[in-house]
Amino acid sequence: MLFSDSYLTVKAPHEALIKERGSKFLAFIFPVSNEIEIKNYLLQLKKEHPNANHHCYAWRLGADKMAFRANDDGEPNNTAGKPILGQIQAGDLTNVLIVVVRYFGGTLLGVGGLISAYKASAAEVIAGAEIFERFILFEYQVEFSEESINPVMRILKENGAKITSHTYETNNLIIFQIKKQYSSKLEKDFADLYTSKLTSLRTL
């Protein structure tokens, strides 16, 4: 369930470097919207860093922040992915992927040292990234009779809707996006316009 009208995410990819007792931790953050993009970034980094010892990561998706995953990639359980995910959660971020690529420096860091290093790497790359507030959008389609075009357009304009496609031929149909904060009023407006049919499509 969405209790907020917006969420925090990152505007563009960013990277950072942490060194700990000979090991190098390269941290990368990416804006993502689905698991296909996540897999592509992971594959890209493995191609760019084929000799790295570990590619540990965590991600969170969705305006409701309910989809997430952490992966230790061979490090001891919960020493890498979980600390990375913890920093995503601490920053209240979503639709982000953080990958920390480790080159082993010859000195074992121990469980506590690994947790600290991966946490610091994730915190560093978040601190350097450009974070912004993205408003949650609802996408709808509305079907309407020809004589209703003026009230339909007035409702869309009053509620700040952005039209993405329209058909004014055999069927009058408009697909549009609107900020979540205006959706209740918009739905009531169309409920009162009996010559139209409003359908919810997706959340963006």
Side-chain angles (χ1 to χ4, degrees), residues 101-131:
V101 176
R102 183 190 181 192
Y103 286 89
F104 182 56
T107 301
L108 295 173
L109 301 182
V111 169
L114 287 172
I115 292 172
S116 177
Y118 281 104
K119 178 180 177 181
S121 299
E124 182 76 11
V125 79
I126 289 172
E130 185 178 357
I131 295 170

Side-chain angles (χ1 to χ4, degrees), residues 181-193:
Q181 64 201 89
Y182 304 131
S183 61
S184 295
K185 180 181 179 300
L186 174 120
E187 289 178 7
K188 182 181 182 305
D189 289 345
F190 275 117
D192 294 338
L193 185 65

Side-chain angles (χ1 to χ4, degrees), residues 135-195:
F135 285 95
I136 297 167
L137 301 178
F138 287 173
E139 187 171 70
Y140 296 91
Q141 73 173 28
V142 60
E143 300 174 71
F144 52 94
S145 61
E146 188 172 345
E147 63 268 21
S148 301
I149 187 166
N150 288 333
V152 165
M153 297 306 289
R154 186 187 71 250
I155 290 171
L156 294 181
K157 183 178 180 180
E158 287 177 352
N159 291 283
K162 177 186 176 184
I163 296 173
T164 56
S165 72
H166 52 78
T167 304
Y168 303 125
E169 296 173 357
T170 51
N171 292 328
N172 295 300
L173 186 147
I174 293 175
I175 295 176
F176 64 93
Q177 297 169 359
I178 186 173
K179 289 181 180 179
K180 173 180 172 286
Q181 64 201 89
Y182 304 131
S183 61
S184 295
K185 180 181 179 300
L186 174 120
E187 289 178 7
K188 182 181 182 305
D189 289 345
F190 275 117
D192 294 338
L193 185 65
Y194 301 113
T195 51

Side-chain angles (χ1 to χ4, degrees), residues 63-96:
D64 59 5
K65 305 168 189 160
M66 295 299 290
F68 56 87
R69 187 168 300 164
N71 189 298
D72 295 311
D73 192 37
E75 294 282 32
N77 284 347
N78 299 322
T79 61
K82 191 173 180 181
I84 297 169
L85 180 60
Q87 291 304 295
I88 293 174
Q89 294 167 333
D92 198 27
L93 302 175
T94 193
N95 285 4
V96 295

Side-chain angles (χ1 to χ4, degrees), residues 10 16 22 35 41 49 56 61 63 74 76 80 82 86 100 106 109-110 115 119 146-147 149 194 196 199:
V10 294
E35 291 192 50
Y41 279 126
H49 300 273
C56 307
L61 289 175
K82 191 173 180 181
V100 180
L109 301 182
I115 292 172
K119 178 180 177 181
E146 188 172 345
E147 63 268 21
I149 187 166
Y194 301 113
S196 68
T199 305

